[in-house]
Amino acid sequence: METKKSSRQLLDEALAKHYEDALTAKAAGKLVAWATSICPQELLETMDIDVVYPENHAAAIGARKGALTFIEHAEGMGYSSDICSYARVNMGYAEIQEFAGGNIPMPDLIFCCSNICNTVIKWYENLAVTLNIPLIMFDMPFNHTYEVPEHSVKYMRAQIEYAIERLEAITGRKFDYERFAEVMKISNETCEWWKKATDLAVHTPSPLKGYDMFNYMAVIVCMRGKTACKEIFQTWYEEMKEKAANGEGPFKDGEESYRVMWDGIACWPHLSSTYKVLRKFGINMVTSTYPESWNIRYETNDLDGMARAYSSNYANRNLNYGIKNVTKLVEDFALEGIIYHSNRSCKLMDFRQYEVQRRVEEATGVPSVIFDGDQTDPRIFSQGQYETRIQALVEMMAEKKKSEVTYE
Amino acid sequence: MSKLNNLIDEFVEAALSPSEAIEKSKQITGKEIVGCFPVYTPEEIIYAAGFLPVGMWGGKTEIRYADKYLQSFCCSIMRSNIEYGIKGVYKSLKATIIPAFCDTLKCIIENWKVAIPDIPVIPVVYPQNRTDTFGYAYLVAEFTRFKSEMEKLSGKTISESELAAAFDIYENYRSLMRSFVEIVKDYPVTINARKRHLIIKSGYFMDKKHYSELMKELIDALKAMPKEKHSGPRVVGTGLIFEPIELTDIFVENQISLVEDDFAQESRQFRAVARTEGTAMDKMAYRVVDLRGCTFLYEEQKSKGDMLVEMVKRNKADAVFVSMMKFCDPEEFDYPIIKKKLDDAGIPILYIETEMHMDSYEQIRTRIQSFSEMLM
């Protein structure tokens, strides 16, 4: 009898298959798209287009210590060292087209959604013009109001319809609305299971080891519309549910001493060293803003709802939402501290971080630290500074813990 | 000649002393002022509401308070504006208008709300998909929302004819500016690179109606003069802004003339000609739809590189000058693309990275000097 595969096995297999399928599709002359991480992939999935995600690939290149080659190449092309390092890695890759740690097929179509930043507009515009291929731009206006305004919804809804027309023209195939409904349903279910699984970290100790979330995130980006992805999260959920029931924490060989949140993208090139410092102090990163980022939920066939859901990504919402969001995470996950990654690549996240930190601390009393780093540029990180900051956080958390002990 | 010089001095002085110029404009018009951040804002609506729109393009100031909100790798114009706001330099503003053209501006909108709570911020979000009907419709809806915000601020309704009148004043101003940048090519001695920049910039601190009257006088006075000969290098400028001002001095020292520009603060503001059909609101939206080669507005096939090559050709220019505001992501993203186009066309590039808070210009001076010698 075949033993049931673990979610980690399923995850690794699915990721390998995802890249293999895309390369095979390209070799067979099928159309391949490059897309941004939180784009309405439902449209591409419905059209059966193989999609790869440059952000995922850049993160993988970073984690496998390969980023600098591509970054330096892009800088040689004239890209400033101040712009997003995912973009630099990807623009470099678009020329070099070879990475020993895993390749992606070159695109025939670019699909870009501005709900994560305006940087992707410039980055993808450059890809389209450099590679001389069509670009479908999905513009999601920044929500400086708490809710998504109705005229924005109307604008985004019209862009869904426009994207469908363009996809039909580019592929020469009709858009299948029945299949679309099915993909919407699967995508919503996948997001629901992603959220359910990551929400299990509310247990103390948390059955979720936070750094694992960075790994599982790869498939919520690239396979949201596929049932295989849903199954990974279901399995992951069941595994963690069982762990929680048994009172098992995140670490095999130690206690979960502190529960923290990590704000921002990981430092992919320094993943293991940043993890080890946390591990040394028994710190578990139980959550981040990511569980909610891919909790993209709406009713099947409700295109206004779909537009609203995609536009509601926290990066595309105002400061009050950001503060409320993090404050709620502190409460829901019983957080004892917050680590803010001042990520040189991501100005949209950075330039609100100081105020979020102040206001969340005011509201919750939870201590926090900020450290300087970068998502893929290995040069922008100092192990010494990181360790010192984490140590300071530990001291503050310990102090607070001590003061909260009540004697009966 | 002295009349011409007086006119030029008036513009230059206004550009170099914004506070005084704005105070003077307030006295002349009796209007309250509304601050407008880069890159574009619906100034016609602000004007129609009875306010005087003024530009907020940063400046040199010691950063002490802005660091509470922004890391050091933030665009220096934005750091300056937040700093000025906290220091109370903008205290006479009735409101601040901030458009969300880039990730930094989005954050500035949010920080302004908490850092400078006494001055209300009215954000405006331009569409990136602007060439299809839905983008245009969104922009009209956004302008309509903005209009109601301005009505709340002024406490009175803006009529169709008031908006049309404001639009006409602005379109007349833009048409004069298009003439100015054309005519000024023939007078590179009287209006050198520095003066050219300051004359254009001064428009941000005056009532556009008054500014246009002066501009008309300036154009007429120039036209009456014989064309001037100039032997220095001729360049086309691109970038966000031709500043700090010391940079323009170095151009003058090296007798470099600016024959055409694509600066966001200068020609991008007025180079798109308005359509004739539709209401004033429609025309405002169409100007955004029709603008090409702007870093802050998406184009599937970016036209900026070809546009710059064309500018060089039609002006028989010697080079392109890229004034790169450090940490301006959108401009930094455009550079490799335009660089390739210019390299392919064999056009030399003078790339200068700038910040609002620079102290030393010696390196830049040396680079510009050798570049200038290389061209001649």
Side-chain angles (χ1 to χ4, degrees):
Chain A
M1 203 182 86
E2 202 183 336
T3 50
K4 201 176 172 224
K5 286 179 179 164
S6 72
S7 66
R8 189 57 205 242
Q9 279 172 310
L10 292 174
L11 170 73
D12 292 343
E13 283 173 17
L15 266 180
K17 186 173 179 310
H18 161 73
Y19 285 115
E20 263 167 42
D21 284 354
L23 288 162
T24 312
K26 182 75 184 181
K30 270 186 77 185
L31 188 135
V32 168
W34 280 9
T36 53
S37 57
I38 313 184
C39 73
Q41 49 76 35
E42 290 86 334
L43 304 175
L44 300 165
E45 186 65 32
T46 302
M47 292 303 273
D48 193 27
I49 293 170
D50 282 87
V51 189
V52 284
Y53 294 82
E55 289 159 73
N56 258 10
H57 189 231
I61 290 177
R64 288 166 199 163
K65 315 268 186 210
L68 209 49
T69 309
F70 301 101
I71 284 174
E72 282 172 351
H73 188 90
E75 289 174 1
M77 289 157 76
Y79 285 96
S80 162
S81 57
D82 296 322
I83 62 162
C84 168
S85 59
Y86 278 175
R88 276 177 287 148
V89 167
N90 182 243
M91 292 308 302
Y93 183 82
E95 284 221 341
I96 298 172
Q97 297 185 19
E98 173 59 37
F99 173 56
N103 284 311
I104 54 172
M106 291 304 288
D108 306 287
L109 164 70
I110 302 285
F111 194 77
C112 176
C113 182
S114 66
N115 58 346
I116 49 171
C117 58
N118 271 42
T119 298
V120 290
I121 299 176
K122 300 304 296 178
W123 167 8
Y124 279 56
E125 193 182 58
N126 282 11
L127 278 174
V129 80
T130 310
L131 303 170
N132 194 23
I133 53 174
L135 194 173
I136 298 178
M137 175 62 65
F138 235 105
D139 180 31
M140 298 204 162
F142 177 66
N143 302 301
H144 51 81
T145 47
Y146 194 85
E147 299 296 343
V148 182
E150 274 315 299
H151 65 291
S152 293
V153 173
K154 212 171 153 188
Y155 170 51
M156 294 183 287
R157 160 74 184 261
Q159 291 180 80
I160 296 176
E161 286 155 12
Y162 173 72
I164 291 173
E165 276 172 38
R166 282 204 69 188
L167 284 170
E168 287 183 331
I170 290 164
T171 59
R173 297 197 304 269
K174 288 302 280 180
F175 191 78
D176 180 344
Y177 285 87
E178 273 178 36
R179 172 74 186 132
F180 187 34
E182 205 181 318
V183 173
M184 287 194 256
K185 189 168 170 286
I186 297 167
S187 303
N188 272 274
E189 286 170 1
T190 308
C191 291
E192 191 183 348
W193 281 104
W194 158 258
K195 186 74 171 53
K196 278 177 77 165
T198 52
D199 271 354
L200 284 174
V202 296
H203 288 278
T204 307
S206 158
L208 167 73
K209 187 167 79 183
Y211 265 55
D212 283 347
M213 187 158 58
F214 287 144
N215 295 318
Y216 285 84
M217 225 166 69
V219 285
I220 191 75
V221 172
C222 69
M223 292 180 57
R224 243 171 14 257
K226 296 185 195 296
T227 43
C229 186
K230 184 178 88 177
E231 283 159 18
I232 295 170
F233 296 136
Q234 274 175 320
T235 312
W236 190 32
Y237 171 83
E238 282 154 17
E239 290 163 0
M240 289 195 292
K241 185 93 188 151
E242 200 184 321
K243 276 179 78 179
N246 298 334
E248 287 173 50
F251 310 122
K252 285 190 184 115
D253 52 350
E255 297 282 300
E256 178 186 76
S257 309
Y258 299 104
R259 300 165 58 83
V260 306
M261 168 189 150
W262 178 287
D263 180 65
I265 300 173
C267 290
W268 297 113
H270 305 283
L271 202 58
S272 129
S273 51
T274 50
Y275 172 74
K276 280 180 189 154
V277 174
L278 301 187
R279 181 67 196 87
K280 186 171 84 184
F281 294 108
I283 298 173
N284 186 24
M285 168 198 126
V286 290
T287 194
S288 74
T289 51
Y290 286 124
E292 194 55 39
S293 282
W294 279 282
N295 188 23
I296 306 158
R297 308 274 286 281
Y298 55 91
E299 295 297 320
T300 299
N301 285 331
D302 173 13
L303 296 189
D304 284 356
M306 181 180 172
R308 209 175 279 116
Y310 273 100
S311 177
S312 299
N313 179 269
Y314 89 99
N316 205 38
R317 296 185 69 170
N318 71 8
L319 189 61
N320 281 345
Y321 175 80
I323 292 160
K324 199 174 156 190
N325 186 28
V326 178
T327 305
K328 192 168 182 311
L329 291 174
V330 171
E331 289 157 5
D332 292 351
F333 289 84
L335 300 181
E336 300 169 270
I338 302 176
I339 300 166
Y340 292 94
H341 175 195
S342 174
N343 174 1
R344 268 301 281 270
S345 276
C346 191
K347 297 185 170 76
L348 185 57
M349 289 188 188
D350 295 333
F351 298 158
R352 285 178 279 180
Q353 213 164 38
Y354 289 175
E355 184 63 13
V356 169
Q357 185 194 26
R358 271 191 294 272
R359 301 264 286 277
V360 171
E361 193 159 337
E362 232 172 70
T364 65
V366 158
S368 58
V369 285
I370 299 187
F371 77 93
D372 301 308
D374 189 86
Q375 56 202 33
T376 31
D377 191 333
R379 301 167 298 190
I380 319 277
F381 175 76
S382 146
Q383 183 73 22
Q385 189 216 48
Y386 176 76
E387 280 200 53
T388 314
R389 300 279 157 93
I390 299 301
Q391 203 161 358
L393 181 67
V394 171
E395 283 163 20
M396 289 188 280
M397 292 191 296
E399 194 60 34
K400 195 154 184 285
K401 237 181 189 152
K402 217 162 77 187
S403 69
E404 280 166 3
V405 171
T406 49
Y407 300 94
E408 287 178 22
Chain B
M1 193 65 192
S2 72
K3 192 190 163 205
L4 176 69
N5 284 336
N6 289 344
L7 258 175
I8 294 172
D9 288 348
E10 193 173 342
F11 284 117
V12 168
E13 211 174 297
L16 292 175
S17 320
S19 302
E20 288 80 359
I22 291 167
E23 198 47 49
K24 196 172 154 194
S25 302
K26 274 175 76 177
Q27 280 167 11
I28 296 172
T29 60
K31 291 177 181 179
E32 290 189 283
I33 53 170
V34 166
C36 299
F37 263 64
V39 185
Y40 311 110
T41 50
E43 282 193 40
E44 294 92 327
I45 299 173
I46 304 167
Y47 197 92
F51 298 112
L52 186 68
V54 297
M56 298 170 76
W57 291 71
K60 192 172 176 176
T61 180
E62 192 198 341
I63 301 292
R64 288 172 57 201
Y65 306 105
D67 287 345
K68 197 178 153 195
Y69 298 91
L70 303 164
Q71 282 92 331
S72 59
F73 49 89
C74 174
C75 156
S76 54
I77 296 181
M78 296 302 136
R79 291 176 81 207
S80 288
N81 280 4
I82 290 289
E83 183 73 21
Y84 283 138
I86 299 173
K87 280 179 182 161
V89 174
Y90 299 140
K91 61 180 184 298
S92 59
L93 291 183
K94 185 80 178 162
T96 303
I97 316 303
I98 312 182
F101 279 111
C102 66
D103 294 333
T104 302
L105 277 164
K106 293 175 193 173
C107 296
I108 296 296
I109 291 171
E110 296 306 313
N111 280 308
W112 188 282
K113 294 175 186 172
V114 285
I116 304 116
D118 299 340
I119 303 170
V121 54
I122 304 174
V124 51
V125 189
Y126 286 71
Q128 290 293 332
N129 260 332
R130 64 207 155 97
T131 51
D132 273 278
T133 48
F134 47 80
Y136 160 78
Y138 167 79
L139 186 53
V140 170
E142 183 66 357
F143 281 166
T144 307
R145 178 192 66 81
F146 183 80
K147 180 167 153 270
S148 70
E149 294 287 343
M150 288 318 300
E151 289 171 338
K152 268 188 246 163
L153 195 69
S154 70
K156 68 175 193 74
T157 332
I158 300 169
S159 72
E160 192 70 37
S161 62
E162 280 167 332
L163 187 57
F167 185 83
D168 288 345
I169 287 169
Y170 269 77
E171 199 49 27
N172 178 51
Y173 151 76
R174 289 188 285 254
S175 158
L176 284 165
M177 296 316 290
R178 289 191 291 270
S179 303
F180 172 72
V181 293
E182 198 52 41
I183 285 158
V184 84
K185 291 174 190 174
D186 292 328
Y187 304 95
V189 180
T190 306
I191 315 264
N192 58 29
R194 180 179 194 267
K195 285 180 181 162
R196 182 189 184 278
H197 164 65
L198 291 172
I199 290 168
I200 297 172
K201 187 185 177 183
S202 62
Y204 283 96
F205 313 124
M206 292 189 207
D207 184 305
K208 288 292 187 290
K209 198 170 167 213
H210 176 60
Y211 176 85
S212 299
E213 286 161 7
L214 294 178
M215 179 50 72
K216 175 89 180 39
E217 280 182 45
L218 177 65
I219 291 170
D220 290 343
L222 284 172
K223 274 183 181 167
M225 286 190 353
K227 291 181 182 177
E228 295 170 342
K229 284 214 167 15
H230 174 74
S231 54
R234 298 161 57 82
V235 305
V236 165
T238 184
L240 189 67
I241 182 173
F242 186 20
E243 289 209 359
I245 196 65
E246 289 83 351
L247 191 58
T248 67
D249 292 330
I250 303 172
F251 269 59
V252 176
E253 282 166 26
N254 290 282
Q255 295 187 344
I256 302 172
S257 73
L258 207 84
V259 287
E260 191 161 355
D261 84 85
D262 164 53
F263 296 125
Q265 197 191 24
E266 303 187 15
S267 286
R268 274 188 233 168
Q269 298 290 329
F270 45 75
R271 72 172 174 236
V273 182
R275 296 190 194 181
T276 48
E277 74 268 26
T279 63
M281 192 82 93
D282 293 332
K283 288 179 193 167
M284 284 174 62
Y286 280 134
R287 283 197 65 254
V288 177
V289 170
D290 292 340
L291 183 57
R292 291 289 168 273
C294 175
T295 310
F296 298 91
L297 295 166
Y298 160 69
E299 276 178 55
E300 187 172 347
Q301 294 301 326
K302 304 171 83 115
S303 61
K304 191 193 272 295
D306 289 331
M307 181 190 80
L308 291 172
V309 171
E310 182 49 39
M311 281 182 180
V312 167
K313 282 184 184 161
R314 72 169 169 248
N315 290 293
K316 296 188 174 58
D318 301 302
V320 166
F321 157 54
V322 179
S323 179
M324 185 60 73
M325 180 55 62
K326 195 162 169 59
F327 306 123
C328 177
D329 281 357
E331 292 282 347
E332 286 174 342
F333 264 104
D334 273 0
Y335 178 64
I337 305 293
I338 61 174
K339 180 181 184 294
K340 174 134 200 337
K341 290 272 183 188
L342 295 170
D343 285 349
D344 289 350
I347 299 167
I349 304 169
L350 172 63
Y351 178 95
I352 301 286
E353 201 172 63
T354 65
E355 279 198 88
M356 286 274 137
H357 316 107
M358 290 164 73
D359 289 322
S360 166
Y361 291 89
E362 282 325 297
Q363 261 191 333
I364 291 182
R365 177 170 275 113
T366 313
R367 283 196 44 216
I368 295 179
Q369 202 173 0
S370 22
F371 189 80
S372 173
E373 283 163 8
M374 181 201 82
L375 291 178
M376 286 293 103

